[in-house]
Amino acid sequence: VYFVTINVEGRRTLFYNKEFAQAVIDCLINLREKMQFNLYCYCLMPEHFHALIGIGESEKDLGKICGAFKSLTTRIYWKYGKGQLWQRG
């Protein structure tokens, strides 16, 4: 099990937007079902995200899981704003 933290670029408080925050959570849940990794818990804060993730049946490494999440949620973000959503790393 991995403890994951992903920060919003520039620590902007983007997740005060409830519609956007819900879209990010929905994306996470859908991705979990599609990729078949274990999601034990998550916490979406105003400017960052925490989760406990296990590889589960996915056989994907953590980098691929997080990369897919960051990519998909960035595309969602572009409906609400411009530029980069997540900090690199």
Side-chain angles (χ1 to χ4, degrees):
V1 176
Y2 298 93
F3 178 72
V4 174
T5 300
I6 307 173
N7 294 314
V8 171
E9 178 67 29
R11 301 290 287 210
R12 296 169 291 157
T13 55
L14 300 178
F15 299 120
Y16 279 130
N17 179 323
K18 290 181 183 180
E19 182 180 335
F20 176 50
Q22 187 61 57
V24 169
I25 292 167
D26 292 345
C27 178
L28 176 65
I29 300 305
N30 291 334
L31 188 64
R32 177 195 65 187
E33 292 171 5
K34 180 179 177 184
M35 294 183 77
Q36 298 184 335
F37 61 87
N38 295 329
L39 179 64
Y40 297 101
C41 64
Y42 64 87
C43 182
L44 187 63
M45 303 297 288
E47 77 286 340
H48 66 283
F49 165 81
H50 296 292
L52 287 176
I53 295 174
I55 301 306
E57 296 178 18
S58 72
E59 298 186 15
K60 305 278 189 221
D61 64 42
L62 184 64
K64 289 188 193 240
I65 293 169
C66 290
F69 173 72
K70 289 171 80 172
S71 177
L72 292 170
T73 53
T74 295
R75 289 185 203 142
I76 293 167
Y77 170 64
W78 291 338
K79 296 176 186 174
Y80 299 89
K82 296 180 181 177
Q84 188 172 330
L85 172 58
W86 301 110
Q87 230 176 41
R88 294 194 186 276

